[in-house]
Amino acid sequence: MGELRSPLLENVMISSVSFFSFLTHRARILPAIFIILLVSLCSSGRAQEAPSLDQLEETTRHSPEDPSAWYELGNYHYERRNYGPASQAYQKAIDLAPGHIPALFRLGNAYFHQAKLDPAEQVYRRIIRLQDRYAGPHLNLGTIHEVRGGLSDALAEYRRAAELAPDQREPLFGTADVYFRMEMWDKAIELYEKGLATTDPSRQPSPDEQRDIDITRQNLDYARTVRDNGGIVPARRIKESLAAPSRTRGVLLPEMPQTGHSVTLRQILFGTSKHTLESLEGTGRRQLEELVIALRDLEPDTELIIEGHTDRRGADDYNEELSRKRAETILGYLAEQGIDTGRFETKGYGERQPVCRDETEEAWRLNRRVVVRRPDTAATRASSQRAQDAALDIRVYYKDSSGQTRLLGQDQPLPLGAQYRIEIVPDSDTCVYIVRRQGDEFAECLFPSSARSEGNPRSEGTLLALPAPGRFYGTPKTNHSFIIRFYTSPQAIEDLEQVALQAGSAGSVRDVIPIVLAGRPTVRPPAIAAPAPALVISPAILSGLPEPANEIEIRIE
């Protein structure tokens, strides 16, 4: 999943915490740190294996008053994007050491990833009160304000972050994004260019960093085009915007404005309380002409929504009706120009969807706008980059003979009788289906399952643990192998969803449920043992499935 705006600044901030100020905050953590240093010295020159979840949890049970133990447990979950348990562990560390700034910062980020903006904001402000020397909290506060439409507050936080980290590009990109939304093209262009200039060409950026750079270049190109065209969005850009999926930096939240498959046309500005073509102000006619050119090249069966938006001055009902009439005026103009509007519709939102919540003339100007959007259909979802490029981070863990949980290596067989579990994290929103197959005649759907409270779609960055958190699949003490296939899809795979629905109606979720889908029930072969419920599916269903995104063969030897 995309990180917050400050993936690099987080590491800088944590590594720069004053060691002595941290030690002196809670005297009781000194023995633990002394032991950690002693172990580190004794084991120098020898590779250290990262502790397992079982080891970390055992440490917290043995040393429940040690904040560093809870912090490391939180890191384990956080790095696997399992933000709920991470939040709990970080909170425990902070309860024991209220000045533990690394835990506070990670806690704020974990809240943010869960769309808990109010708690995240409180944590970031707490860090600033303790030590206002880190850019990360200001940067993420800026993101929160931007999400909520508080653009002036967002600018203030981004500028403070830039003061604290003048050599980092993230505060520059954040500030430029706000100016981009405000259509202050010159300022946006200046800061985008300055931020891109800080990129080190000799270092290979991470996928998240590269995505950030790509979005910046896209915004920069758009800003230059619109500025050089006198503020008018040209037909070429309108067509590109209607075809392009949403590309938003960092974490996608329900409150964020979604820009995919849409274009905002603020130059189409009507006179106060008016909705006729004759009342269009300034360059509104020119912008409408560019819209006509763009729509003439679209496919004949393209569906579009024309939205009208107003500022918050005036009564709610009046604003909604006025915005609807303005959208209808534009639809009528398009029809007069020969555009087939049979699959178009209009909507008036009034003041209900502001892009800026500041109480200023500039904010009111930004909120008065026309948006042309493609509806959220299967076609647009399928073309969305977030769904198309869905990839899974897949890890298989097993319990060894000593009871320790270990990561199963590539091409490494499972020991006879070993227990195993699977952890999956998608890098973008997608539907996930996991099928375990043995031979040509037997397969079962491990996920989704009527035995689980959560199903599809899976959100970007959320951990899916199978058979369930803390539980394992069993294996018999016989040599055999089976294949686990992982399917991703922007839409539901109806056949597999139907398996779960039929199993749910059967009433039992404690045992494996045979499902009759191909004229006869399938039976679990004795080689597969699963303490958790799984849904048996027929070969007929399997033959109609798309190619899996991933496939793992597990051998028991």
Side-chain angles (χ1 to χ4, degrees):
M1 162 182 199
E3 181 57 270
L4 299 187
R5 286 190 186 271
S6 53
L8 299 177
L9 293 175
E10 175 180 341
N11 296 330
V12 171
M13 192 203 74
I14 290 175
S15 63
S16 63
V17 174
S18 170
F19 182 69
F20 288 103
S21 66
F22 179 58
L23 286 184
T24 55
H25 186 81
R26 282 285 176 112
R28 62 174 135 183
I29 72 172
L30 280 169
I33 291 181
F34 175 76
I35 292 172
I36 292 171
L37 292 174
L38 181 62
V39 170
S40 177
L41 290 172
C42 292
S43 59
S44 60
R46 187 175 61 197
Q48 295 296 307
E49 182 176 326
S52 67
L53 177 60
D54 290 345
Q55 291 171 324
L56 292 169
E57 290 178 339
E58 183 67 18
T59 302
T60 61
R61 285 192 290 269
H62 283 173
S63 304
E65 300 300 311
D66 181 0
S68 63
W70 291 102
Y71 176 66
E72 292 304 324
L73 178 60
N75 288 342
Y76 177 91
H77 288 298
Y78 186 93
E79 289 159 7
R80 288 157 180 78
R81 302 173 182 180
N82 196 8
Y83 299 116
S87 301
Q88 297 172 9
Y90 290 138
Q91 186 60 64
K92 185 66 176 178
I94 294 163
D95 290 342
L96 295 167
H100 197 313
I101 290 181
L104 282 165
F105 192 72
R106 277 287 180 91
L107 176 62
N109 289 359
Y111 281 145
F112 191 104
H113 281 290
Q114 299 173 82
K116 298 179 178 178
L117 299 191
D118 288 338
E121 180 180 1
Q122 293 172 12
V123 171
Y124 294 140
R125 294 201 181 283
R126 179 174 172 181
I127 296 172
I128 292 170
R129 288 195 300 271
L130 287 170
Q131 292 186 18
D132 189 10
R133 49 185 288 202
Y134 308 116
H138 290 285
L139 196 61
N140 293 343
L141 278 175
T143 303
I144 290 174
H145 288 308
E146 189 178 351
V147 167
R148 290 171 170 166
L151 300 187
S152 59
D153 290 334
L155 281 175
E157 296 294 349
Y158 288 144
R159 287 167 178 160
R160 177 58 177 156
E163 292 173 1
L164 294 169
D167 58 339
Q168 296 290 338
R169 64 172 174 260
E170 288 85 354
L172 298 173
F173 287 168
T175 309
D177 283 347
V178 176
Y179 285 134
F180 184 94
R181 291 180 63 181
M182 299 173 70
E183 299 187 357
M184 300 175 69
W185 306 119
D186 287 332
K187 290 186 176 181
I189 291 167
E190 177 187 356
L191 291 171
Y192 282 141
E193 291 175 341
K194 186 176 180 180
L196 288 172
T198 66
T199 303
D200 183 359
S202 65
R203 189 180 71 86
Q204 181 66 31
S206 69
D208 280 344
E209 291 172 327
Q210 187 60 55
R211 180 174 180 270
D212 210 37
I213 292 170
D214 290 344
I215 291 174
T216 296
R217 288 173 175 158
Q218 180 189 56
N219 288 355
L220 176 59
D221 188 36
Y222 186 97
R224 286 170 173 165
T225 301
V226 177
R227 179 198 62 181
D228 295 345
N229 202 38
I232 302 295
V233 182
R236 175 176 65 90
R237 288 298 186 183
I238 295 174
K239 289 168 56 180
E240 291 173 355
S241 297
L242 292 176
S246 177
R247 302 194 72 196
T248 307
R249 300 182 196 274
V251 184
L252 281 178
L253 301 172
E255 298 169 66
M256 283 185 171
Q258 300 299 297
T259 59
H261 302 108
S262 69
V263 60
T264 299
L265 305 172
R266 288 195 179 85
Q267 296 298 322
I268 302 177
L269 187 62
F270 293 87
T272 304
S273 300
K274 296 179 180 179
H275 60 84
T276 62
L277 284 175
E278 293 73 25
S279 68
L280 279 174
E281 298 179 349
T283 55
R285 282 275 187 175
R286 278 187 56 203
Q287 184 64 85
L288 275 178
E289 292 168 1
E290 294 292 332
L291 178 61
V292 169
I293 296 171
L295 297 185
R296 280 178 178 156
D297 291 338
L298 290 181
E299 295 296 326
D301 60 348
T302 300
E303 298 181 16
L304 285 181
I305 300 173
I306 301 174
E307 302 174 354
H309 300 264
T310 68
D311 59 42
R312 66 184 302 272
R313 294 175 294 181
D316 294 350
D317 292 344
Y318 177 81
N319 284 337
E320 190 165 325
E321 178 69 10
L322 178 63
S323 61
R324 182 185 62 79
K325 289 181 177 179
R326 288 172 172 173
E328 290 175 350
T329 296
I330 295 170
L331 182 67
Y333 174 81
L334 296 176
E336 290 175 1
Q337 301 304 309
I339 302 297
D340 182 4
T341 60
R343 298 175 67 86
F344 294 7
E345 63 176 305
T346 59
K347 290 186 177 180
Y349 289 101
E351 62 187 71
R352 288 188 286 127
Q353 294 185 359
V355 295
C356 183
R357 298 182 183 275
D358 298 341
E359 292 296 329
T360 63
E361 287 286 348
E362 177 64 18
W364 295 332
R365 181 189 69 82
L366 292 173
N367 291 331
R368 295 192 299 269
R369 67 199 189 280
V370 170
V371 177
V372 180
R373 181 186 309 279
R374 292 176 64 188
D376 183 23
T377 63
T380 57
R381 288 193 300 271
S383 66
S384 167
Q385 180 175 340
R386 291 171 54 74
Q388 262 184 351
D389 294 346
L392 301 177
D393 178 9
I394 303 170
R395 304 187 186 195
V396 179
Y397 295 88
Y398 71 98
K399 279 191 176 181
D400 63 15
S401 57
S402 66
Q404 296 295 319
T405 301
R406 299 188 179 278
L407 179 67
L408 186 68
Q410 187 175 6
D411 298 326
Q412 175 188 355
L414 276 175
L416 291 174
Q419 295 180 317
Y420 72 97
R421 72 168 184 254
I422 307 168
E423 291 186 1
I424 306 102
V425 177
D427 74 344
S428 56
D429 295 351
T430 187
C431 293
V432 177
Y433 299 88
I434 303 169
V435 173
R436 180 167 54 185
R437 184 168 186 173
Q438 184 172 350
D440 294 330
E441 294 299 321
F442 175 81
E444 57 187 344
C445 187
L446 302 182
F447 184 86
S449 163
S450 61
R452 301 179 66 96
S453 59
E454 80 275 24
N456 279 317
R458 303 297 302 176
S459 297
E460 173 186 347
T462 57
L463 175 69
L464 174 60
L466 296 175
R471 299 186 64 189
F472 288 79
Y473 292 111
T475 59
K477 295 183 178 180
T478 57
N479 290 345
H480 69 283
S481 66
F482 53 89
I483 291 174
I484 300 178
R485 288 180 172 173
F486 302 84
Y487 299 88
T488 60
S489 173
Q491 304 93 36
I493 299 178
E494 294 300 335
D495 286 338
L496 293 180
E497 293 286 347
Q498 192 64 26
V499 171
L501 287 174
Q502 292 189 33
S505 64
S508 171
V509 295
R510 294 182 177 274
D511 305 308
V512 174
I513 305 166
I515 304 298
V516 181
L517 293 178
R520 61 183 177 85
T522 55
V523 180
R524 173 189 298 278
I528 292 182
L535 309 177
V536 180
I537 57 179
S538 72
I541 294 295
L542 293 174
S543 63
L545 294 179
E547 287 297 313
N550 303 85
E551 184 173 284
I552 296 176
E553 181 182 10
I554 295 183
R555 306 190 315 277
I556 313 293
E557 297 178 358

